[in-house]
Amino acid sequence: MLWRKMLRDLKDNKGMYIACAVVMVIGLLFFTSFSMVLVNMEEARNNFYYYQNFADGFAEVKAMPVGEVERLRFVEGIKDIQGRLVKDVRVVFPGREDNVYLRLVSVDPGLLNPINGVRLESGVPFDEQGLSMWIDSKFYRANGLELGAEVEFVAEGKKRSLRIAGVGVSPEFIYAMRSAGDLFPKPEEFGIAYVPYQTMETFFREQGSVNSLVFKLAPGADYQAVEDRLKLELKAYGLKSIYPRKDQASHAILSEELEQLKNMGRSIPLIFLGVASIILYIMLRRMIENQRVQIGVLKAMGFTDKEVVLHYLSYALVIGAAGGIAGGLLGAMLSGPYTAMYRLYFNIPGLESRFLPASLLLSLALSLLFSGIAGYRGCRAVLTLEPAEAMRPRSPLPGKSVLLEKVTLFWNALNVQGKMAVRNLARNKGRSLFIAVGMTFTFALLAMSWSMWELSERMLFDQFEKIEIYDVKINLSQPLDRSLVERELSGFPGVKSVESKAEIPVTLINKWKKKDVVLLGLPAGSELHRVLDADYRQVQLPGSGVVISERLAQLLDAGVGTELTLESLMLKEPDSPPKVVVAGIIPQYVGVNAYMELEALQDMLGQGEIVTAAMLKIDERDLSLLHEKYRDAAAIAGLEDRAKMLRQLRELMGSYSATVYIMLLIGMVVGFAIVYNTSVISVAERSRELASMMVLGMTPSEVLAVIAFEQWFLSIFGMLGGIPLAKLMLVGLARSISNDVYTMPTALGMMSPAVAALFTAFTIWIGQRAAAQKIKSLHLADALKVAE
Amino acid sequence: METLITAREIGKYYRMGEVTVKALQGVSFELYEAEFVVILGPSGSGKSTLLNLIGGMDKASDGELYYGNTPLHLADARTLTLYRRSVVGFVFQFYNLIPSLTAYENVSLSAEIAQQPLPVREMLEQVGLADRLQHFPSQLSGGEQQRVALARAMVKNPRMLLCDEPTGALDYNTSIQVLRLLKEFCGTYGKTVVVITHNIAIARIADRVFYLKDGRLARIERNENPLPPEKVTW
């Protein structure tokens, strides 16, 4: 029967309980969908890595004879090592203006279990004539290719073509980006092709040699020790870089994505479950207060404390179970489209959205745990309630003058309702606090979501509207002399200005902390790639020393004046790395870089006046001519149009805005749940007081005015408290979201407090409509009757 | 006749700030099986306090109180709960039904925790509510609610029924109905019924009457010829 009582009580207050459960559902929806996607992705990735024999380490050299690679097998700690040619070529698609590139990766069809083996999705082995290739599935689909089709490309200035024999992917290119500067994969413009070595070597002048090595470690081998040994061996072949799996671009981005998913899967549900628990706790406490006579009766009848506590706990557990199941199921449903979204970016064969009963059970357990704790804390008061005492109506709270009355100017300005409201607030400190805290949460959630929207706009557009403001960037395939580059390009028709820059991969070290970054050498006072401080003032790069991004400073634990060690394979003498002093720290939201004045950098490297890229301002009319002329030049790796980049970013942000709207909606739902519940509780537990006012002759709207005044008054403090909370939440979110590609700023957006205040006010107003309904339906005689 | 309750010099004191309020002091009596006792006294005389002590809702501050051989004044919360569960049935002035349960469910709730409950439907029929089983308290009149409360107390088949002003909120006719049911329960089932009231007229239906005044038991009177309830007027 107590079970029925509980169900009926829930039904009578369904609005409140549903509001609370919705908050819980949202939290668990995130939890389940995130954890299902995470587990599915991790499993698919691990399987893929395992079966395709993903490398433990990677090295790039200028050229190394194929025969020499075998010798490296005997280096201590190496289990297997393979050499290959990796070359980017431009694809010639008839009728297409844009630049499309393929990265040709040589493979050895004779190997049984090659390192980074290709998993074929469809197709056949390479043909005997050496005229076929396998192509990555994303590129294949994005460009509408077909098996058996010929693809034409330009290698070393000559047109070649290969037939598509198969479609597949290797673990190295799950997330295939052409360069670290790209923000996301563009499969229609860049893809991977796997070509038999015998075929590929004939296309390039490096015939008989390789320029890339992949290796597996022997069980128990230490990567660093192996790297040190390999460095010695590879030095003679022009070692450009050597790095472990964790720094491999595709793996690093996938790992960061999974890490982020894991962090968000923990923090977001925690926030929502926390809010839901607080609501539940307050609701139960209020309910127990209101049902004290019923509790007394139950105890008088002989129900034990345990039975009564269990009864009230069952309210919380039923809400928890309902929220857990609903949230879990919705999350499971959502994990399908969510996985599909990941499949757009990450090419992991076998990535399926599988339903995981364990996640659902965990979600249920989590909700029961949270609601159980909230419920137990909420109904603990039952234990101390003596039956005889419980049956007596509670003595009224003492009414006394409040501190604010001393502020005569304020006090006299209030009408009677206002005075009542202020005294009520002071008398019911617990309730006042709850309402204020609720509004703090609502405000903070809304401010945070809106801020994220504003900030992500700033994050991305600042980079390409204020910082990098060239029209075209030309990446060189190898370092060239600065004056040569600038002379060549400034003579091109339509070019208004030319600046060159050096992008040098380096390792910066501060004590035991180290970080691999690209060091940008920019000409003093560069107008095309500007270095800006937080207030968008141009920072002059000093003649010596290095300027680093905020995130880099944080990662290296460095401040202005810190001396960093700089290692780079581009140094003339890599064995005696120089020291550089941090001269300044600047905000950077896209990428993580260090900056140096170009000439200072060139001096430090000791390789002459080398540059690796050029930036141009050019007439739009002449842009296609520029592409035409340089896209097949051997010295040029690629051209980047800023306008195109911005266009792609806008598209990306367009799809992102949906996420922000959802966040805002969630913020409003949570806010509404809090404000609505506080209003309804407030009316319910004060029905006598409110009825008395109406009996005295006050109209329902005058009665509402008292409650409304209390809420508005509290909301001012609630919202003020919400500003630091929003900031805190942003910092937490930034910490879990920021990675080497994006660094999320943590300053509250300009508009967000205003927007949040507006939405919070709207929520309060809606909540008050609900309260008004309850007041209108108050049964005066019943409310004034004794006992309850 | 078997002695159900024995009270020796019991007292109940409340501390209210500096002063100690003696709600009850030096009260001694016995309650026997199958008798109908009325406790009379003005407001504040300690009637409800005494009922709470007998019912195991509260513990005496002084003296000794026994149910059979069980010392209630020494009992822990668990024992008192068990005592309330199996020995006592309560009826309150304001009925105190669970508003979200129907008449039938309110009575069933009580039957669920009893060791040897009486049939729920039979109890409700006995109090004349066979046609109101599925009504919620808010759909019942005061008299009907009190009869549900009676059924709820009786269904547990307790040895003792304790009623705090059971007719206090009812009109004359309904009051008589309720008193008749109480009297029947005492006579038919052989249960002890204790009724608190400040209505002197009701005292005439009792076997014995306890007069309380200022927290003390002024006197106990035995009624040689108790009247049937319908003969009582006020």
Side-chain angles (χ1 to χ4, degrees):
Chain A
M1 286 305 143
L2 283 179
W3 182 249
R4 271 194 214 177
K5 164 178 181 300
M6 181 263 299
L7 289 181
R8 293 218 182 102
D9 281 352
L10 290 184
K11 206 174 120 203
D12 286 345
N13 292 298
K14 55 182 173 302
M16 285 160 70
Y17 287 103
I18 288 173
C20 175
V22 163
V23 179
M24 205 169 255
V25 166
I26 293 172
L28 292 164
L29 182 144
F30 278 116
F31 174 78
T32 323
S33 57
F34 282 14
S35 51
M36 282 196 189
V37 171
L38 183 70
V39 170
N40 284 332
M41 294 246 296
E42 272 182 342
E43 272 184 15
R45 178 193 70 172
N46 293 346
N47 276 333
F48 188 45
Y49 279 4
Y50 175 77
Y51 289 110
Q52 305 312 124
N53 205 14
F54 187 37
D56 294 319
F58 300 77
E60 276 150 36
V61 293
K62 260 207 170 78
M64 180 180 191
V66 178
E68 295 292 305
V69 178
E70 273 307 294
R71 207 171 42 79
L72 298 175
R73 244 174 230 289
F74 303 106
V75 170
E76 194 189 332
I78 293 273
K79 183 179 150 208
D80 193 6
I81 186 160
Q82 282 157 26
R84 63 217 185 135
L85 269 176
V86 178
K87 288 277 184 184
D88 284 9
V89 295
R90 192 178 69 79
V91 180
V92 185
F93 277 134
R96 253 173 81 170
E97 278 290 304
D98 56 341
N99 294 335
V100 180
Y101 296 92
L102 265 181
R103 178 160 297 162
L104 306 188
V105 179
S106 77
V107 293
D108 183 348
L111 286 178
L112 254 184
N113 185 22
I115 300 175
N116 297 349
V118 180
R119 178 175 292 183
L120 268 195
E121 183 183 290
S122 58
V124 293
F126 300 111
D127 59 22
E128 297 286 321
Q129 299 82 14
L131 295 172
S132 60
M133 64 175 170
W134 293 336
I135 209 155
D136 95 66
S137 45
K138 289 236 176 288
F139 182 83
Y140 176 79
R141 271 183 215 109
N143 290 296
L145 299 173
E146 276 167 26
L147 281 178
E150 293 277 335
V151 175
E152 203 176 33
F153 52 89
V154 181
E156 301 216 327
K158 284 201 191 115
K159 276 197 179 172
R160 312 269 186 178
S161 81
L162 287 172
R163 200 169 44 77
I164 302 174
V167 178
V169 63
S170 84
E172 197 180 351
F173 298 107
I174 285 177
Y175 194 81
M177 289 202 301
R178 178 137 191 261
S179 71
D182 288 352
L183 293 172
F184 45 89
K186 300 163 195 161
E188 66 285 358
E189 288 174 25
F190 176 70
I192 314 295
Y194 305 93
V195 183
Y197 180 80
Q198 272 68 22
T199 308
M200 192 165 156
E201 67 170 346
T202 61
F203 297 164
F204 300 94
R205 58 173 175 268
E206 286 97 338
Q207 209 158 16
S209 59
V210 297
N211 66 353
S212 164
L213 294 152
V214 287
F215 54 94
K216 292 288 288 182
L217 295 179
D222 171 43
Y223 172 81
Q224 198 54 48
V226 174
E227 180 185 299
D228 291 344
R229 282 177 217 127
L230 274 180
K231 265 187 184 164
L232 286 176
E233 298 284 338
L234 294 175
K235 208 171 165 186
Y237 305 107
L239 178 62
K240 284 185 191 160
S241 64
I242 178 163
Y243 49 91
R245 180 195 282 191
K246 78 170 173 55
D247 292 336
Q248 197 264 336
S250 162
H251 174 81
I253 288 172
L254 178 56
S255 302
E256 253 165 23
E257 192 61 43
L258 293 179
E259 187 62 23
Q260 192 177 315
L261 201 58
K262 197 182 281 175
N263 287 338
M264 303 233 292
R266 277 192 201 134
S267 53
I268 295 182
L270 222 57
I271 292 177
F272 282 97
L273 285 176
V275 171
S277 305
I278 294 173
I279 299 180
L280 198 56
Y281 165 75
I282 304 277
M283 276 166 48
L284 276 179
R285 259 190 52 177
R286 296 293 161 197
M287 183 175 69
I288 281 160
E289 202 52 58
N290 292 337
Q291 294 197 353
R292 44 186 283 138
V293 177
Q294 291 186 39
I295 293 166
V297 172
L298 290 176
K299 287 194 172 187
M301 278 163 72
F303 279 91
T304 62
D305 280 351
K306 204 169 114 190
E307 285 165 331
V308 180
V309 167
L310 272 178
H311 167 60
Y312 284 99
L313 198 57
S314 70
Y315 288 72
L317 292 177
V318 164
I319 297 296
I325 292 171
L329 287 177
L330 282 174
M333 278 161 64
L334 197 71
S335 76
Y338 201 21
T339 308
M341 192 197 82
Y342 271 114
R343 263 198 298 254
L344 280 183
Y345 294 97
F346 294 96
N347 196 356
I348 313 179
L351 173 58
E352 296 290 333
S353 170
R354 271 184 312 124
F355 175 75
L356 302 170
S359 296
L360 192 66
L361 285 180
L362 203 59
S363 144
L364 186 61
L366 212 59
S367 62
L368 286 178
L369 179 75
F370 270 81
S371 56
I373 292 173
Y376 181 70
R377 294 201 66 88
C379 65
R380 231 174 12 165
V382 167
L383 290 174
T384 53
L385 215 52
E386 290 295 335
E389 180 204 332
M391 312 271 290
R392 274 194 287 276
R394 222 168 132 82
S395 53
L397 284 165
K400 56 180 181 194
S401 50
V402 297
L403 212 61
L404 268 171
E405 293 180 33
K406 301 231 166 70
V407 189
T408 34
L409 201 68
F410 167 77
W411 189 249
N412 292 334
L414 294 175
N415 58 9
V416 178
Q417 279 112 311
K419 284 179 178 151
M420 266 173 82
V422 172
R423 285 211 180 114
N424 279 336
L425 292 178
R427 277 170 65 189
N428 264 304
K429 294 197 182 63
R431 185 172 62 208
S432 307
L433 192 72
F434 169 58
I435 297 177
V437 166
M439 298 194 183
T440 300
F441 258 106
T442 310
F443 179 90
L445 269 176
L446 292 167
M448 186 192 76
S449 339
W450 193 262
S451 244
M452 272 185 64
W453 170 237
E454 275 186 64
L455 294 176
S456 25
E457 287 245 312
R458 160 129 61 102
M459 234 160 93
L460 296 173
F461 291 113
D462 271 11
Q463 189 71 25
F464 298 101
E465 282 176 342
K466 298 207 169 82
I467 296 171
E468 297 182 44
I469 46 175
Y470 47 79
D471 292 326
V472 185
K473 183 179 160 207
I474 300 177
N475 294 314
L476 306 175
S477 52
Q478 66 216 39
L480 292 176
D481 185 72
R482 176 181 181 178
S483 51
L484 187 81
V485 172
E486 290 184 4
R487 205 177 328 123
E488 162 79 20
L489 291 172
S490 55
F492 196 85
V495 168
K496 289 179 240 167
S497 64
V498 181
E499 278 182 19
S500 38
K501 68 172 166 183
E503 297 176 333
I504 312 291
V506 299
T507 307
L508 290 175
I509 304 164
N510 181 28
K511 295 181 192 111
W512 62 90
K513 302 206 167 177
K514 62 198 275 186
K515 178 75 191 159
D516 293 333
V517 292
V518 171
L519 173 59
L520 300 179
L522 299 171
S526 169
E527 277 303 316
L528 300 183
H529 187 146
R530 304 195 295 167
V531 181
L532 302 178
D533 68 10
D535 300 320
Y536 299 104
R537 282 184 306 240
Q538 187 146 15
V539 175
Q540 290 302 326
L541 291 170
S544 70
V546 58
V547 170
I548 60 177
S549 78
E550 279 167 357
R551 179 164 161 86
L552 186 55
Q554 199 187 326
L555 290 171
L556 290 174
D557 198 12
V560 173
T562 307
E563 202 179 55
L564 304 174
T565 307
L566 187 149
E567 286 180 357
S568 174
L569 293 166
M570 297 276 283
L571 283 164
K572 186 158 194 176
E573 286 168 30
D575 296 332
S576 50
K579 305 257 186 210
V580 288
V581 174
V582 176
I585 295 172
I586 54 156
Q588 181 181 359
Y589 305 132
V590 176
V592 173
N593 289 113
Y595 303 80
M596 257 178 116
E597 200 275 315
L598 182 57
E599 284 169 24
L601 173 62
Q602 289 165 341
D603 285 347
M604 187 182 69
L605 293 175
Q607 306 267 32
E609 294 194 354
I610 54 160
V611 294
T612 64
M615 303 172 287
L616 304 183
K617 274 270 178 204
I618 185 170
D619 260 339
E620 220 183 316
R621 287 172 286 148
D622 299 305
L623 207 55
S624 55
L625 202 63
L626 187 80
H627 278 278
E628 196 68 36
K629 175 161 183 198
Y630 289 113
R631 60 186 173 193
D632 293 333
I636 286 169
L639 290 91
E640 287 172 20
D641 277 6
R642 189 176 62 101
K644 194 168 157 195
M645 193 78 189
L646 265 175
R647 212 164 41 239
Q648 285 168 335
L649 267 183
R650 288 230 165 78
E651 274 169 30
L652 188 75
M653 289 299 290
S655 66
Y656 182 64
S657 64
T659 317
V660 174
Y661 290 137
I662 291 172
M663 289 282 286
L664 270 180
L665 193 72
I666 288 172
M668 280 178 71
V669 168
V670 171
F672 182 72
I674 296 171
V675 176
Y676 173 77
N677 281 6
T678 49
S679 305
V680 173
I681 288 174
S682 193
V683 175
E685 66 186 10
R686 290 158 69 179
S687 49
R688 257 164 82 82
E689 182 187 337
L690 301 179
S692 311
M693 290 194 245
M694 282 164 76
V695 169
L696 284 177
M698 280 165 76
T699 63
S701 55
E702 282 169 327
V703 174
L704 180 69
V706 178
I707 291 187
F709 184 93
E710 289 179 35
Q711 286 187 335
W712 291 123
F713 190 79
L714 284 172
S715 71
I716 296 171
F717 296 99
M719 290 192 207
L720 282 178
I723 296 175
L725 183 65
K727 168 93 184 161
L728 212 69
M729 285 160 92
L730 263 182
V731 171
L733 204 65
R735 204 165 284 168
S736 73
I737 285 183
S738 294
N739 55 33
D740 286 358
V741 182
Y742 308 100
T743 305
M744 207 179 111
T746 55
L748 269 188
M750 300 276 284
M751 287 296 293
S752 58
V755 172
L758 207 70
F759 275 122
T760 311
F762 178 66
T763 327
I764 295 171
W765 186 80
I766 298 266
Q768 285 175 358
R769 294 308 99 202
Q773 279 305 314
K774 290 256 169 190
I775 291 175
K776 268 192 203 138
S777 62
L778 266 185
H779 199 288
L780 287 194
D782 276 356
L784 289 177
K785 258 197 215 154
V786 228
E788 283 198 340
Chain B
M1 260 196 305
E2 194 187 332
T3 308
L4 223 56
I5 297 284
T6 312
R8 287 191 201 123
E9 296 291 317
I10 55 170
K12 180 71 192 175
Y13 315 138
Y14 298 103
R15 283 206 64 84
M16 293 189 59
E18 299 290 292
V19 290
T20 304
V21 178
K22 297 188 169 175
L24 209 63
Q25 51 181 322
V27 175
S28 302
F29 60 89
E30 273 108 30
L31 287 178
Y32 306 109
E33 197 165 22
E35 70 168 340
F36 197 111
V37 172
V38 165
I39 301 177
L40 264 181
S43 299
S45 59
K47 301 186 299 279
S48 294
T49 307
L50 181 58
L51 201 75
N52 286 342
L53 293 182
I54 300 171
M57 296 250 279
D58 218 342
K59 269 190 341 191
S61 323
D62 201 4
E64 296 172 353
L65 182 68
Y66 293 92
Y67 162 67
N69 293 321
T70 313
L72 295 179
H73 58 286
L74 299 176
D76 56 11
R78 212 183 123 71
T79 315
L80 286 180
T81 302
L82 209 67
Y83 168 71
R84 289 199 299 270
R85 199 173 182 130
S86 52
V87 181
V88 187
F90 276 101
V91 178
F92 308 100
Q93 180 177 6
F94 295 111
Y95 340 124
N96 290 337
L97 299 175
I98 306 289
S100 50
L101 296 180
T102 60
Y104 183 84
E105 289 163 351
N106 260 290
V107 180
S108 302
L109 177 67
S110 180
E112 275 174 9
I113 58 166
Q115 276 153 354
Q116 286 165 315
L118 302 169
V120 174
R121 185 176 285 272
E122 206 170 282
M123 280 297 115
L124 281 160
E125 278 165 5
Q126 203 159 350
V127 298
L129 290 174
D131 54 342
R132 309 293 257 176
L133 299 182
Q134 300 310 324
H135 286 61
F136 285 96
S138 58
Q139 299 165 317
L140 299 171
S141 70
E144 287 170 328
Q145 286 189 56
Q146 191 59 303
R147 281 185 279 154
V148 176
L150 253 176
R152 179 176 72 177
M154 296 189 304
V155 78
K156 286 204 297 183
N157 199 8
R159 295 188 74 180
M160 192 160 54
L161 211 53
L162 304 179
C163 316
D164 193 348
E165 298 274 10
T167 57
L170 304 177
D171 61 38
Y172 172 77
N173 285 328
T174 322
S175 296
I176 296 302
Q177 243 181 349
V178 167
L179 289 174
R180 207 162 51 203
L181 285 168
L182 286 174
K183 193 82 182 171
E184 257 174 45
F185 191 63
C186 177
T188 317
Y189 293 91
K191 309 291 184 183
T192 306
V193 174
V194 181
V195 173
I196 284 183
T197 181
H198 58 262
N199 184 345
I200 301 173
I202 294 175
R204 298 171 65 190
I205 67 171
D207 296 316
R208 288 196 298 157
V209 184
F210 292 14
Y211 290 90
L212 276 183
K213 203 180 168 196
D214 297 332
R216 291 176 179 279
L217 184 55
R219 63 179 197 280
I220 299 177
E221 270 178 13
R222 178 166 288 280
N223 235 343
E224 293 307 329
N225 292 307
L227 290 178
E230 49 275 18
K231 291 277 172 67
V232 180
T233 51
W234 64 82

